[in-house]
Structures are given as structure tokens and as C-alpha cells.
Amino acid sequence: MTTITIAKGDGIGPEIMDATLQVMKAAGAAVHMEEIEIGEKVYLRGNSAGIDPSAWESLRKNRVFLKAPITTPQGGGFKSLNVTTRKVLGLYANVRPCVAYHPYVPTLHPKMDVVIIRENEEDLYGGIEHQQTDEVIQCLKLISRPGTEKIIRYAFEFAKAYNRKKVSCFTKDNIMKMTDGLFHKVFDEVGKEYPEIEKEHWIIDIGAARLADTPEIFDVIVLPNLYGDILSDVAAQITGSVGLAGSANIGDGFAMFEAIHGSAPTIAGQNKANPSGLLLAAVQMLIHIGQKEVAEKIHNAWLRTLEDGIHTADIFKEGLSKECRGTAEFAQAVIDRLGMKPKELPEAQYTGSLSSISVTITPQPLAVKELDGVDIFIHAKGILPDDLATKLQSANSAYLELIMITNRGTKVWPNGFPETFCTDHWRCRFKRKTTASINYQQVIALMQSIFASGLDIIKSENLYLFNGLPAYSAGQGQ
Ligand code: NAD
């Protein structure tokens, strides 16, 4: 008997969790459940994290979590509990298989069998946002080398363990050359260690278009967090319904299993939701805790239910489906088929768990880091770039001088175009005057002098050379 933590969540969560637990019980899962309350009710009683300390205790003790979707209230400082859980517990890999069940579930992509492996801890999901001026708000996109290496290695190890032939990587490194560029670079580096696996990189826009149009050309896809979040919904939906896909969030010694969809409030409480996503997540959970036979029994009964044309409303199609069932009745149909195998669809047979894949990070030597200048961000409304430059140049020192001003990343000084639309948010780049070393004291002196001129400094970013190479982006049009 293994003790796991469960949460019934919000919206359709309680219905799909009850359906899942009934199937698990009928299949003979040897699981003791500890239920915690998380989500909307916890948020609305004033806990902005959506989870109480006692719930963390249960999670940290049991280290296995089966979670129904929750509703994150919009705005108001509420942080997404899903993101917090994944990050606090170090669940770095989010594995989302998206499979077509042709000809039993209507889909335009009968041969689709794609596994999305989404980086789960960083990227824009740090949720580090600041309003800096009246007009401009920023969100920090953080991509780390160890975080990237972990997810890329996980993707290749997954492909190896599951006999997958190809790993594709999607990024937007033609624009974000440093952050997405790192993801791409590590993909190329790590990929060399897997000569038997085919690998390719796609710019995310065309990659996404091809995934939506011809998903059968893909096998395993590894992506940074935001792209993975968006494209796994697309991938699941084009198999027939977003309600069909389950996911596993894997960390070192900890795992959380959930459907990929959200709490679908518009259909909550109507016994309409498809419980399949959570049920397939529970199948992965059972494999994780060593109950492979129960997992296979449930998965195969579920496949047989689909084959028998017993469908929930989201995948029901007149002429193809036989019966449109509610959430609870669909679960009963799966229970009625426990012990049966699918007739046509490939039988589910598991060899190992997603959590048995472990990765180690290659230690990297520390680089030689050298201060090369500073970007100082100024809040100023209605000023012309040339006038701003004149004011800033009066702060030039013996060490640092103004070389460029950009607005929303586009160079507006020197030699800007009057056509470029400018907001009240200016990045002013000062670089060292000679190759002689500079220090942060000289940057502070420069900032004091700018402050004394009456300009409103919002923030600064140091410009560094790493191992002698510039480690900061150029201005657009520079
Ligand atoms: P959603 O995934 O909840 O639902 C979108 C639509 O997809 C629904 O209206 C419904 O038509 C369909 N759908 C989703 N799941 C289904 C199922 N099991 N069966 C049948 N149809 C299904 O997305 P949303 O409406 O954008 O988000 C609702 C809430 O869920 C938000 O508060 C969001 O923050 C939250 N959310 C939670 C998670 C999570 O807990 N992991 C994930 C995504 C969104």
C-alpha cells in the first residue's frame, strides 16, 4: 500500500477525480489517499499561494501527488499554484503524451503519436513582473544552463528508454538569441551524445504550424516552458480533445500527475467532463509507485471503452460513437471493461516509469567575467531622443560614455528615425571608454550624476564580457 496525496481541485476537478478514483479502486490499486485542499477556496480565504502549510507537509512526506485542475483567480496578486508546486518541488520535466485513437476518436491526424516534453521551472514562468513607467511593464524571461541541460537530457533519455526515433527542439532563437539561443545550443551539444537518435531544431512559429498541420512528422518535442504549455494544449486538442491527455511532472524523488487541461468552469458540475486526462495521469502515477499491472489494466480497459464507442461529449461524433456518456457513466464503462484488452488499438504495455529516467548535469567551468558597461533605463514622457541624449551625455565620465539609446529595443539614438514610435521607457547604453577595466563604483558614480540631472532612473543592467565575448544583446537597428 502506497500513501499518495490527492487534491480534487476546482471546476470539473472533483467530478473527474471521483471518476478516476472509482476506476483505480475497482482495478485494485493498492493506494492510500491523503486528501489536501488547494486552489480557489484557499485563495479566496486570503491565502495568495492557494495552499496551506499542512498541505505542503503532506506533499513533502508522500512525494507523490495526483492533482485535479485548479482555478487561479485572475489578477489580485494570486500566484498560480500549479507553477508554484512544480517549482518548489523541483518538478523539472513535464511529460505530455498526445496520441490519436483513430478511427475511434475523430481526429484529422490519425497517425499522431507525439510526446511533448516541457521545461517546467523557468522561462517567463518565474512570474517576475514589474511596472516600470506609466506605459511599460516588463516580465523577466530566465533561462538557465543547468535547467536547460536537465530538460534536454531528460528528453533524450526518454527517447532512448521508450525507443523513440527523433527528438525535435522548438525555440525562437532567431529573435531571443541569448535565452532561446542557449536552449538551442545545449540541445545541439547534448544531442551529440545520442548518435542513434535523429534530432532537429525548428523555429517555434513554423514548428507550431507543422505540429498543428502534420503532427505525424514529430515524435518527441522538447521546448521551453511557455511554448510547451501552449503547444501541448494544441497537440492534445488535435488528437480529438484536450480532455484526452494526461501529464507527469517529474523531479528528483518527487512526481506530480495531472490532466493537461484546466478546471473548465463552463462545464463544471454538469457531469459532462471527460475524465480521461486525469485517468491517464493516474496510470502514469501507478507505474511510478510500482503498480504496473494495475496501470495496464486501467489503460487497456480505457482503450477498449473508446473502441466500443462509449464517449464523453467532447469526443462524441454521430455515426462514429455509439453512446454519449457523462463523466461518472464513462468511468463505469471503463470499470465494466477492466480485464479486457483493446481489439485494434495497440495494447498498453509498460516497461518502466517516467520517473526512473534520471539525468546528471555536466559541471561547467566558471567564465572570466568582465564589466563592459551598463544599460540604464529611464522613465521620461514626451522627450525627443536627441534631447535625452544631450542630457545623458553631460553625465559621461572618464570611464563610461553614452553610445546608444533604444526604445522598446529599437535604436532611436544616434541616427534614429522620426517614424519610430516611442514610449516613456528608454534604455540608455553606456560603454567603457577604453579597454581598461572598470568597476561597479564607476557605474554608481555615473548613475548618481544622471540622478542629479533630474532624470528618473528605473533600473540598470550591467553589461558583461564572458570569456572576452559580449554577453548582452545589440539594439535593433544598431
Ligand atoms: P480549460 O482547459 O480549463 O478549458 C478550456 C475548455 O476546454 C473548456 O471550456 C472545455 O470546453 C474544454 N475542456 C477542458 N477540459 C475538458 C475535459 N476534461 N472534458 C471536456 N472538455 C474539456 O482552460 P481555461 O478555460 O482557459 O482555464 C480554466 C481555469 O483552469 C483557469 O483558472 C486556469 O488558470 C486553470 N488551469 C489550471 C490548470 C491546472 O490546474 N493544471 C491548467 C490550465 C488551466
Side-chain angles (χ1 to χ4, degrees), residues 42-304:
V42 184
Y43 284 119
L44 297 179
R45 61 174 185 249
N47 181 334
S48 65
I51 180 165
D52 288 330
S54 59
W56 281 123
E57 264 172 47
S58 166
L59 287 170
R60 295 184 65 205
K61 173 169 61 77
N62 297 326
R63 306 184 81 77
V64 184
F65 187 19
L66 181 64
K67 182 186 138 302
I70 57 168
T71 301
T72 308
Q74 303 264 304
F78 298 109
K79 296 302 278 186
S80 163
L81 176 58
N82 298 310
V83 175
T84 307
T85 314
R86 292 169 190 151
K87 293 183 65 164
V88 168
L89 302 175
L91 308 176
Y92 65 92
N94 192 329
V95 186
R96 302 183 150 190
C98 299
V99 183
Y101 302 98
H102 176 79
Y104 303 101
V105 175
T107 171
L108 295 173
H109 311 286
K111 293 193 186 128
M112 177 170 179
D113 180 4
V114 173
V115 180
I116 305 266
I117 299 194
R118 162 187 172 194
E119 194 288 313
N120 224 12
E121 296 180 287
E122 42 192 57
D123 192 0
L124 290 157
Y125 286 60
I128 306 171
E129 297 185 299
H130 301 94
Q131 176 157 6
Q132 299 188 318
T133 67
D134 293 302
E135 295 174 350
V136 175
I137 300 174
Q138 79 165 13
C139 177
L140 281 187
K141 171 161 169 148
L142 298 175
I143 301 277
S144 78
R145 182 163 188 116
T148 301
E149 188 177 341
K150 259 166 128 179
I151 194 66
I152 303 255
R153 283 199 182 279
Y154 185 94
F156 279 106
E157 286 295 323
F158 172 91
K160 204 164 118 181
Y162 288 86
N163 205 18
R164 296 274 179 164
K165 305 288 175 248
K166 182 165 78 169
V167 180
S168 310
C169 171
F170 290 8
T171 72
K172 187 77 183 168
D173 68 338
N174 53 333
I175 302 296
M176 283 158 281
K177 295 184 194 303
M178 296 187 66
T179 46
D180 282 25
L182 176 64
F183 202 89
H184 185 174
K185 184 168 166 232
V186 174
F187 175 76
D188 287 346
E189 277 172 21
V190 171
K192 287 199 183 96
E193 296 173 33
Y194 298 85
E196 72 284 12
I197 296 171
E198 195 188 328
K199 45 229 147 233
E200 59 182 19
H201 172 266
W202 293 74
I203 301 283
I204 181 86
D205 23 4
I206 187 62
R210 291 302 298 271
L211 176 66
D213 179 64
T214 12
E216 61 278 5
I217 65 170
F218 296 108
D219 191 344
V220 174
I221 306 178
V222 63
L223 315 93
N225 204 341
L226 176 64
Y227 310 145
D229 189 2
I230 296 169
L231 287 190
S232 54
D233 265 38
V234 172
Q237 183 65 35
I238 64 174
T239 67
S241 166
V242 73
L244 285 172
S247 81
N249 298 264
I250 306 292
D252 295 326
F254 204 112
M256 172 170 88
F257 302 87
E258 58 182 342
I260 77 153
H261 58 76
S263 57
T266 51
I267 55 166
Q270 299 166 37
N271 193 34
K272 271 190 192 163
N274 189 341
S276 301
L278 191 60
L279 189 65
L280 292 182
V283 164
Q284 291 298 343
M285 188 274 296
L286 287 164
I287 300 162
H288 171 72
I289 60 172
Q291 298 184 29
K292 175 174 112 59
E293 287 75 22
V294 187
E296 286 174 353
K297 195 168 165 188
I298 294 175
H299 199 159
N300 285 320
W302 175 79
L303 288 167
R304 181 61 176 266

Side-chain angles (χ1 to χ4, degrees), residues 379-397:
H379 178 179
K381 178 74 185 156
I383 193 164
L384 291 171
D386 285 358
D387 295 343
L388 178 60
T390 306
K391 273 190 131 179
L392 287 164
Q393 277 170 320
S394 66
N396 281 351
S397 69

